[in-house]
């Protein structure tokens, strides 16, 4: 059974194919409106979500399919102690494909061991978020026209920010990519990401604690929220949460064609005045999420049939 647990489960060629399908869906939505008739998507969300869950549901409905699921662990039998493996085995009998978000790293992989339908990781703890990365890649492709020769600045909570971990993995496969890692000391990129996707591949990178110092060389600035839900104590969160606040003033030295991305939700890290800047791509990015998830559902259901 083909699942999507880690973005590296997809080859670069497959990602190109998904992007092509997503762009075709955007242009000709009517071609796809019955593509998943009689198919059911289950969204099993043990953690809060707006974009991921609703864009998955909107994606399936726009493909002519149906959706069921839960949006918090407390409204499912997880509250009575049911395991992820049992839930996955049971829900497989009620649907054709499952998107799962869970606070524990590896939970969707555990679910995939007992599920008899494809499992999509919709975010597992501070680990990975592959469908956000597909959304991000579609955005980079649409905004910049290429993945090659880009200097990508990732800024904020690089330790717990699962979207950053998946994005760095995916971007590490393209020619001439460079990374600029901007974070406070306490929120640096974890070793499991840095070693595997940057150092072992010999990709040029630099680290900084100051966004303004590196702004002028970035082609993509990927801002992130400090992940309050992953902190062990509130004091550390309060000290670090406003480490970076992007304002129009700080963008003065940025390239004219740099794009500003953010997986959202934002808290304070991008001031609302930045929203008017044409380089602010984050709302367009969130919109792209629906179309790339439509393409992913189509691909996984097609492969499950084979
Ligand atoms: N980007 C993202 O995962 O947003 P949600 O938490 O709202 O799904």
């Amino acid at each position: 059974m083909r699942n999507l647990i880690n973005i590296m489960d997809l080859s670069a060629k497959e990602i190109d194919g998904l992007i092509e399908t997503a762009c075709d869906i955007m242009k000709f939505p009517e071609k796809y409106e019955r593509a998943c008739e009689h198919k059911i998507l289950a969204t099993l969300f043990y953690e809060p979500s707006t974009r991921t869950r609703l864009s998955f549901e909107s994606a399936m409905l726009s493909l002519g399919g149906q959706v069921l699921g839960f949006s918090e662990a407390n409204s499912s039998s997880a509250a009575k102690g049911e395991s992820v493996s049992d839930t996955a085995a049971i829900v497989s009998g009620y649907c054709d494909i499952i998107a799962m978000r869970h606070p524990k790293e590896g939970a969707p992989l555990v679910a995939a061991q007992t599920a008899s339908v494809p499992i999509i990781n919709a975010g597992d703890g501070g680990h990975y978020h592959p469908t956000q990365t597909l959304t991000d890649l579609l955005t980079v492709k649409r905004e910049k026209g290429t993945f090659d020769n880009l200097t990508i600045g990732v800024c904020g909570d690089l330790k717990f920010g699962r979207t950053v971990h998946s994005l760095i993995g995916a971007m590490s496969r393209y020619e001439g990519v460079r990374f600029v890692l901007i974070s406070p000391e306490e929120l640096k990129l974890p070793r499991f990401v840095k070693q595997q996707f940057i150092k072992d591949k010999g990709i040029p990178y630099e680290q900084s604690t100051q966004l303004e110092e590196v702004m002028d060389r970035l082609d993509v600035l990927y801002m992130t929220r400090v992940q309050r839900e992953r902190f062990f104590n509130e004091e550390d969160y309060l000290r670090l949460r406003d480490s970076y606040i992007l304002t129009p003033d700080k963008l003065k030295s940025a390239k004219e064609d740099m794009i500003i991305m953010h997986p959202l939700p934002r808290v304070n890290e991008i001031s609302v005045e930045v929203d008017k800047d044409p380089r602010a791509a984050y709302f367009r990015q969130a919109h792209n999420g629906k179309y790339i998830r439509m393409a992913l559902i189509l691909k996984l259901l097609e492969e499950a049939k084979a």
Side-chain angles (χ1 to χ4, degrees):
M1 183 64 59
R2 189 83 195 270
N3 304 297
L4 177 62
I5 305 298
N6 179 337
I7 192 67
M8 306 311 269
D9 296 342
L10 292 167
S11 67
K13 194 165 168 225
E14 285 178 306
I15 289 176
D16 286 345
L18 288 170
I19 289 175
E20 207 175 295
T21 305
C23 292
D24 196 58
I25 295 169
M26 284 177 183
K27 268 198 236 156
F28 308 108
E30 65 289 346
K31 252 171 67 182
Y32 297 87
E33 63 194 17
R34 297 180 67 181
C36 288
E37 218 168 25
H38 309 303
K39 298 288 181 196
I40 298 174
L41 164 76
T43 52
L44 309 186
F45 276 58
Y46 295 79
E47 259 195 350
S49 168
T50 295
R51 275 147 293 276
T52 311
R53 187 171 65 83
L54 296 182
S55 66
F56 259 119
E57 295 190 0
S58 176
M60 192 51 157
L61 294 171
S62 298
L63 290 167
Q66 295 174 71
V67 294
L68 52 80
F70 52 82
S71 58
E72 51 172 340
N74 278 341
S75 63
S76 77
S77 284
K80 301 177 208 162
E82 185 164 57
S83 68
V84 160
S85 334
D86 282 1
T87 303
I90 302 301
V91 177
S92 290
Y94 306 152
C95 68
D96 301 283
I97 187 164
I98 294 174
M100 173 182 284
R101 170 170 291 189
H102 200 285
K104 282 212 178 103
E105 290 81 5
L109 181 61
V110 169
Q113 315 304 310
T114 54
S116 53
V117 300
I119 295 278
I120 301 171
N121 177 5
D124 61 326
H127 205 197
Y128 293 128
H129 193 346
T131 66
Q132 178 64 47
T133 302
L134 291 174
T135 301
D136 299 343
L137 294 174
L138 174 58
T139 305
V140 171
K141 193 63 177 224
R142 295 188 80 205
E143 303 273 333
K144 303 295 294 178
T146 180
F147 295 127
D148 295 335
N149 302 310
L150 295 175
T151 298
I152 298 163
V154 286
C155 176
D157 186 350
L158 310 189
K159 180 178 179 184
F160 297 118
R162 58 193 175 196
T163 66
V164 168
H165 305 162
S166 293
L167 180 66
I168 288 177
M171 288 303 302
S172 71
R173 295 197 282 210
Y174 298 104
E175 289 295 317
V177 163
R178 295 166 296 278
F179 293 111
V180 183
L181 312 174
I182 310 138
S183 74
E185 278 299 314
E186 295 93 329
L187 298 178
K188 278 163 78 173
L189 194 69
R191 196 180 132 76
F192 79 92
V193 181
K194 192 167 167 188
Q195 191 66 42
Q196 184 185 180
F197 298 133
I198 302 181
K199 287 189 167 177
D200 287 355
K201 294 184 169 198
I203 294 178
Y205 75 99
E206 61 180 297
Q207 296 188 105
S208 176
T209 55
Q210 301 300 319
L211 176 56
E212 292 91 319
E213 277 178 11
V214 298
M215 185 70 87
D216 61 349
R217 44 199 179 271
L218 306 181
D219 299 303
V220 175
L221 170 58
Y222 194 94
M223 296 294 293
T224 62
R225 172 178 70 90
V226 174
Q227 307 274 303
R228 181 181 204 159
E229 61 276 32
R230 317 262 177 246
F231 275 68
F232 290 110
N233 72 70
E234 184 73 359
E235 207 177 292
D236 285 349
Y237 168 72
L238 294 174
R239 184 168 52 79
L240 294 167
R241 67 175 177 182
D242 291 333
S243 299
Y244 305 100
I245 300 178
L246 188 65
T247 59
D249 198 48
K250 287 185 187 154
L251 282 166
K252 278 183 185 152
S253 60
K255 290 182 185 174
E256 287 287 305
D257 63 348
M258 184 189 81
I259 58 166
I260 307 159
M261 296 174 64
H262 191 311
L264 304 178
R266 73 170 147 190
V267 185
N268 262 344
E269 55 281 354
I270 302 181
S271 86
V272 291
E273 287 78 49
V274 174
D275 298 355
K276 296 191 284 284
D277 190 309
R279 293 170 290 188
Y282 32 91
F283 292 123
R284 298 191 291 276
Q285 181 184 353
H287 188 235
N288 288 335
K290 169 176 170 174
Y291 299 97
I292 200 76
R293 288 181 175 105
M294 287 172 83
L296 179 66
I297 291 169
L298 285 171
K299 177 178 172 63
L300 293 183
L301 285 179
E302 197 56 41
E303 291 188 22
K305 257 196 329 206

